[in-house]
Amino acid sequence: MTFRPGTPPPAPPTRGDAAAAAPLTDGEWHRLHPLTPLLKGGIFLIVILGYVLNSLRDQLVEFFIPGEQQEDGDPVRYVYEHGAVGWVLLGIAVFLVVLIGLFYLSWRMHEFRVTGEIVEVRSGVLFRNHRKARLDRIQGINIQRPLVPRVFGTAKLEIAQAGNDANVQLAYLGARAADDLRQRILVLASGAKDDDAHDGPARRSNGALQDRVDEMFSPELDPAAVHATRIVKVRPGRLIASMLLSGTTLFILLVVAAMIVSVALTGEYGFLFGLFPAVIGAGGYYIRKFSRSLRYTIAETRDGIRIGYGLVSTSNETLPPGRIHAVSVAQPLLWRPFGWWDIRINRATSATGAASSNQQVSSIILPVGTAADVREVLDIILPGLVGTVVAGPEASQEALREGSAEAVNVVDDSLTTSGDRGGFVHSPRRAAWLRPFAFRRNGYRFVQGAVLLRLGAVWRSLVIVPLPRVQSVKVEQGPFERALRLAAVHVHTVAGPVSARVGALDARDAQRLWAETAHRAVEAAAVDTTHRWREREARPAVATQAADEPVPGSGAPAGRGEDRATGAVPPGPGWDDVPPTGAAR
């Protein structure tokens, strides 16, 4: 379901709105929200302490007053009858003072600062920890609002970095300060002028209590606040149906059927007891997945792709342009009658422990959607790759976004087609020995700025790899492939759920794909400016002139990579000679 909300004229920011995050990016050290110690460990510690005291009250009384036994097992009455109320209250007061002192010391020693190049966080009392996040390596900024912090008007801001366990967390900040700080960090990372940091609608405070109520019941996405131009929403009914028609559901049904058959054949009803933990585990899995995907939205903003979801505990993440390394559009078999697809991505960030589950969620861009939703989301996350080659450079982006026939050809000619339709180079007929169902669908093609891999006949998928994000290209040929004159090509990207590998290609086509991908990737990386995406707004004329300059020796304009020559590539051992151009058959 797609919406194109109109963008209202920006209102002048109020003094309080500008003060929410502007001081936080002045390059000085700042502290987190004062309630951070309580939210991170205080509530949990109090609950554990109460449980321990309730479980060990007899032992505690015996420890403090040896030789005395409780008559009725009530420590409160025992303390009162023996005149030890004052000592007990004094002990509790001392314990709370020490606990609050430790929390306060931890909060005082936890600081962060934001400069024009990095975000730094230093923490720890006995063991100091100092983390830095470079702005040009930011892969996304996620704001999470769990239920309890949301009640107190706070949020956790996490900066995803390229690397293993390189993320930087700021837990917790005020809810408004977190939103404003994310916007200012993205402005600094984009190369835009600092004057544009506060051109959003003004927000006025109506009192602390009213602000908390407004935040609890406000919509997850405010298009005017995030400058959203296009929004794609996931319908709850379609989400529930897609979960019930998943492979997990099929596996659970097969396990239940196997248990019932075992009981019927053996008469041992003990097998049924194994159903209870399975049902509880499956129910918890579906509830977590459904609650995380409720109110799921994908929005196009000037600072990147904003992905939001959640009902009670909410989370929203902004992915800056150029941080997506590979995209997979897949269709499970049970979704085919309904025409549903999902979209997953690879990003240059990795996490372990508690953060890994959130990373799994963030790799899913579209949990379920129709072909129209896929077309819209692809045009949001990979602008310029959907329809631009077909329509030509003279077509305006406004015309493409209105749903013209040229703009949809790349998607429509890739999701459900087979053979050479859409300009794909597919596997030869002899590949049926290895791909009996998918040999006519298995193939590749190039569009401006990306390589497309069309895979699978039963489980369909389309893999899109932006050429500037290509890490390397590998050609593989096993003994069976060598006998059939076939080969596989693996376009390497960062690790993730998307694998850009196409097999059972003709050996000459595989060599041609390898050579042309490597050549185009080098050229695309040389002119890529997505790491400073808003710097281009100040130099549109320079970018246009550079795009029209011809490539030396090719006779084709630089902006039309579809017609460039790749140059001769020496064939490796066992390969046929390859023509000097990268033209597909």
Side-chain angles (χ1 to χ4, degrees):
M1 188 173 181
T2 305
F3 300 90
R4 290 184 174 85
T7 303
T14 63
R15 181 178 179 182
D17 187 37
L24 301 181
T25 56
D26 57 3
E28 301 296 331
W29 290 99
H30 300 276
R31 295 187 177 91
L32 301 173
H33 196 279
L35 292 178
T36 295
L38 181 64
L39 296 174
K40 293 184 68 173
I43 296 177
F44 178 76
L45 181 60
I46 291 174
V47 172
I48 294 298
L49 181 62
Y51 175 78
V52 171
L53 291 177
N54 183 68
S55 302
L56 303 178
R57 55 184 181 179
D58 295 341
Q59 291 79 357
L60 290 175
V61 171
E62 176 66 22
F63 176 80
F64 285 106
I65 309 178
E68 297 288 342
Q69 300 294 330
Q70 299 183 61
E71 299 177 357
D72 56 359
D74 188 357
V76 177
R77 176 177 296 181
Y78 178 84
V79 169
Y80 177 77
E81 291 178 351
H82 288 76
V85 176
W87 291 104
V88 172
L89 293 179
L90 179 61
I92 295 176
V94 171
F95 175 78
L96 291 178
V97 168
V98 173
L99 189 64
I100 294 174
L102 292 175
F103 283 166
Y104 175 76
L105 184 61
S106 174
W107 173 75
R108 289 278 301 181
M109 301 297 289
H110 198 148
E111 299 175 310
F112 72 95
R113 71 174 178 178
V114 181
T115 67
E117 297 179 354
I118 59 174
V119 178
E120 292 183 83
V121 179
R122 60 189 186 187
S123 60
V125 179
L126 298 179
F127 301 94
R128 298 290 289 168
N129 185 20
H130 194 170
R131 301 180 71 92
K132 296 181 180 180
R134 287 174 44 185
L135 297 185
D136 59 349
R137 294 174 64 85
I138 290 178
Q139 305 297 310
I141 302 181
N142 184 22
I143 295 179
Q144 302 178 37
R145 294 184 176 91
L147 177 59
V148 176
R150 190 179 176 190
V151 171
F152 289 96
T154 60
K156 178 169 67 175
L157 185 144
E158 182 175 9
I159 302 174
Q161 278 280 104
N164 187 24
D165 280 340
N167 295 0
V168 173
Q169 289 188 359
L170 298 178
Y172 289 84
L173 298 170
R176 291 187 176 182
D179 289 330
D180 296 337
L181 181 59
R182 172 171 61 181
Q183 180 184 1
R184 291 188 64 87
I185 291 176
L186 290 173
V187 167
L188 293 173
S190 68
K193 296 180 180 179
D194 190 63
D195 298 338
D196 298 334
H198 292 290
D199 58 355
R203 292 183 296 185
R204 295 176 175 85
S205 176
N206 299 318
L209 180 59
Q210 186 62 37
D211 289 344
R212 299 293 81 77
V213 175
D214 294 341
E215 290 174 1
M216 286 294 296
F217 294 97
S218 62
E220 196 279 326
L221 172 63
D222 184 0
V226 300
H227 305 278
T229 56
R230 288 186 293 177
I231 303 173
V232 178
K233 296 185 177 182
V234 177
R235 297 178 179 178
R238 182 182 297 163
L239 179 64
I240 296 175
S242 66
M243 293 168 55
L244 295 178
L245 295 174
S246 64
T248 303
T249 303
L250 183 61
F251 174 76
I252 293 175
L253 293 178
L254 290 177
V255 171
V256 172
M259 288 186 174
I260 294 177
V261 171
S262 300
V263 171
L265 294 178
T266 62
E268 296 290 338
Y269 290 91
F271 288 107
L272 294 179
F273 290 100
L275 289 177
F276 293 102
V279 170
I280 295 175
Y285 166 78
Y286 285 119
I287 291 175
R288 288 192 304 269
K289 186 174 181 180
F290 179 71
S291 61
R292 286 177 177 177
S293 301
L294 274 177
R295 300 198 300 178
Y296 201 101
T297 58
I298 307 101
E300 179 187 47
T301 70
R302 64 180 184 179
D303 291 324
I305 306 102
R306 184 191 183 279
I307 304 170
Y309 51 86
L311 181 62
V312 179
S313 298
T314 65
S315 179
N316 61 81
E317 185 170 15
T318 300
L319 308 181
R323 270 56 174 185
I324 295 177
H325 289 248
V327 181
S328 171
V329 184
Q331 184 183 62
L333 180 63
L334 298 178
W335 290 8
R336 182 175 297 186
F338 308 95
W340 295 341
W341 304 78
D342 67 13
I343 299 180
R344 301 170 185 263
I345 62 171
N346 284 356
R347 295 194 299 158
T349 179
S350 179
T352 59
S356 60
S357 60
N358 184 64
Q359 182 188 354
Q360 289 287 345
V361 176
S362 63
S363 66
I364 303 176
I365 296 295
L366 182 66
V368 59
T370 62
D373 297 329
V374 169
R375 187 183 308 122
E376 192 77 11
V377 172
L378 287 181
D379 202 17
I380 291 175
I381 65 177
L382 298 175
L385 296 184
V386 179
T388 304
V389 175
V390 180
E394 66 278 357
S396 64
Q397 288 294 327
E398 289 76 11
L400 294 177
R401 291 175 181 175
E402 291 300 324
S404 62
E406 293 84 1
V408 302
N409 282 350
V410 170
V411 173
D412 289 352
D413 290 343
S414 304
L415 294 183
T416 60
T417 59
S418 61
D420 56 2
R421 180 182 169 184
F424 278 89
V425 179
H426 63 89
S427 301
R429 181 170 293 276
R430 62 181 181 275
W433 292 98
L434 300 178
R435 301 286 192 277
F437 301 104
F439 74 95
R440 284 188 54 80
R441 178 170 165 81
N442 218 46
Y444 74 91
R445 68 165 293 188
F446 288 95
V447 297
Q448 183 173 332
V451 56
L452 275 60
L453 307 180
R454 189 182 62 185
L455 308 169
V458 179
W459 286 272
R460 297 171 178 167
S461 65
L462 171 68
V463 176
I464 306 173
V465 181
L467 290 173
R469 308 279 85 83
V470 173
Q471 306 292 313
S472 63
V473 187
K474 180 175 69 173
V475 183
E476 302 172 318
Q477 189 182 56
F480 295 105
E481 288 86 353
R482 187 177 295 112
L484 296 172
R485 303 191 309 279
L486 302 175
V489 178
H490 193 168
V491 181
H492 292 131
T493 67
V494 298
V498 181
S499 177
R501 185 182 185 277
V502 56
L505 291 176
D506 182 86
R508 291 166 58 89
D509 292 334
Q511 181 77 352
R512 187 175 293 112
L513 172 60
W514 171 77
E516 192 165 357
T517 301
H519 182 72
R520 288 174 181 249
V522 172
E523 291 184 339
V527 298
D528 180 46
T529 59
T530 53
H531 61 288
R532 303 287 282 181
W533 62 96
R534 290 182 63 186
E535 276 186 344
R536 297 173 296 177
E537 300 174 0
R539 303 191 303 271
V542 177
T544 303
Q545 180 180 359
D548 294 335
E549 291 179 357
V551 178
S554 67
R560 300 296 301 274
E562 190 73 13
D563 300 327
R564 299 177 193 166
T566 61
V569 178
W575 298 96
D576 297 328
D577 292 337
V578 180
T581 62
R585 292 185 304 178

